[in-house]
Amino acid sequence: QVQLVESGGGLVQAGGSLRLSCAASGRTISSYTMGWFRQAPGKEREFVAAIVWSGTNTDYVDSVKGRFTISRDNAKNTIYLQMNSLRPEDTAVYYCAAQQWLVSGLDSLYNYAYWGQGTQVTVSS
């Protein structure tokens, strides 16, 4: 079992930055592909970014490319999502997810077995 706890959300003005963290416990994440998803009110949960277990590949939804960066620190058992140039449409609850040895279908929430409780990100205009 992997437990995931997100932090770092908050209220920020458009154009600002936030860094989300996802701390894992229960198992080391070195063999886990990690992802970030988000869900806005009244909308389905959508893929944001992912980093494969080896750290060699990342994937992003088109709307955040060039603005968000996903990274991992296996020594700290933590992943991060650096979010720059935030927009009001980025407002959502952000969730961290994990799946062992995942190498394809990184953008499908159905491929992840472990989820955190989420952290709220609100971007004001």
Side-chain angles (χ1 to χ4, degrees):
Q1 293 284 345
V2 177
Q3 291 80 44
L4 304 172
V5 178
E6 303 93 337
S7 62
L11 174 64
V12 63
Q13 289 187 333
S17 298
L18 283 174
R19 188 177 82 153
L20 305 183
S21 298
C22 173
S25 61
R27 292 185 180 178
T28 60
I29 63 168
S30 58
S31 63
Y32 285 78
T33 289
M34 306 295 293
W36 286 99
F37 291 76
R38 65 187 179 187
Q39 188 166 18
K43 295 188 177 181
E44 294 184 352
R45 192 170 299 189
E46 67 169 355
F47 170 75
V48 177
I51 184 167
V52 296
W53 60 271
S54 62
T56 56
N57 292 326
T58 58
D59 191 17
Y60 298 90
V61 67
D62 285 346
S63 61
V64 308
K65 286 180 180 178
R67 300 189 299 123
F68 291 11
T69 302
I70 188 171
S71 61
R72 64 192 300 153
D73 186 339
N74 289 342
K76 294 184 178 180
N77 233 30
T78 300
I79 68 163
Y80 305 96
L81 186 68
Q82 178 65 44
M83 305 187 296
N84 299 328
S85 302
L86 282 161
R87 305 167 180 169
E89 53 264 39
D90 295 318
T91 294
V93 177
Y94 283 70
Y95 297 90
C96 175
Q99 178 60 46
Q100 196 172 28
W101 305 124
L102 184 66
V103 295
S104 63
L106 304 185
D107 59 348
S108 174
L109 60 90
Y110 300 106
N111 289 335
Y112 293 84
Y114 302 102
W115 292 84
Q117 294 300 307
T119 185
Q120 176 71 47
V121 172
T122 303
V123 184
S124 63
S125 57

